[in-house]
Amino acid sequence: MPEQLHPAVTWQRAKDALADFRRRMADAKLKPEQVDAAIIYVTRAYPERPCFLRLEDSVRPAALNLLAREDVIALGMLFVQFDARAKQRTIFPHLFFGLNQRGMAVLKEAAALEYTAGAVLKDVHEA
């Protein structure tokens, strides 16, 4: 597993990335509230199975505790944008650091799960 980032650094990088994504959406005359995000992490017990951590201020204390565990490593995050005109969701990955092939496979699996199930991140088209 790659070296773990400090939990506060991980959380802040994720919040900054989401703010930047939303700013770029606003600059493009899109609705920034139509994007949501989650941190993708794995555990040592199941390094091939992606886990999702919603990026909401209300879960910050619990998220920091989770990210501080020695058996948890945050790989990156997913942004999900809903295009109201096309009536479709688009998923964008974001890395916190370079990943090897195994790490990339886990992030791709997370994107596939979100794309097919769509249950982790809110229906941003209702925002």
Side-chain angles (χ1 to χ4, degrees):
M1 290 175 99
E3 177 126 357
Q4 184 171 326
L5 295 174
H6 187 278
V9 171
T10 300
W11 186 263
Q12 192 57 52
R13 282 189 186 182
K15 293 294 283 187
D16 291 348
L18 179 58
D20 181 59
F21 193 97
R22 286 180 171 160
R23 182 189 48 76
R24 287 185 283 140
M25 286 184 67
D27 290 349
K29 307 290 190 247
L30 299 171
K31 296 179 181 177
E33 66 273 8
Q34 291 184 333
V35 69
D36 202 0
I39 294 172
I40 307 303
Y41 69 94
V42 294
T43 63
R44 284 194 204 279
Y46 301 101
E48 308 295 329
R49 185 173 66 192
C51 300
F52 294 76
L53 180 59
R54 302 273 316 246
L55 193 58
E56 296 175 349
D57 289 333
S58 64
V59 302
R60 185 179 187 274
L64 293 178
N65 285 337
L66 174 77
L67 294 170
R69 289 181 14 199
E70 290 184 18
D71 68 326
V72 169
I73 187 155
L75 301 176
M77 58 190 298
L78 294 179
F79 299 108
V80 178
Q81 180 209 2
F82 184 78
D83 183 338
R85 289 177 293 200
K87 302 280 190 225
Q88 69 181 21
R89 293 162 20 107
T90 305
I91 299 172
F92 301 91
H94 177 80
L95 305 179
F96 292 139
F97 45 77
L99 296 176
N100 62 19
Q101 186 175 2
R102 184 172 154 190
M104 287 301 296
V106 172
L107 200 57
K108 286 178 185 178
E109 175 67 16
L113 286 170
E114 180 58 34
Y115 184 78
T116 57
V120 176
L121 297 173
K122 69 180 180 182
D123 290 331
V124 292
H125 64 280
E126 294 176 3

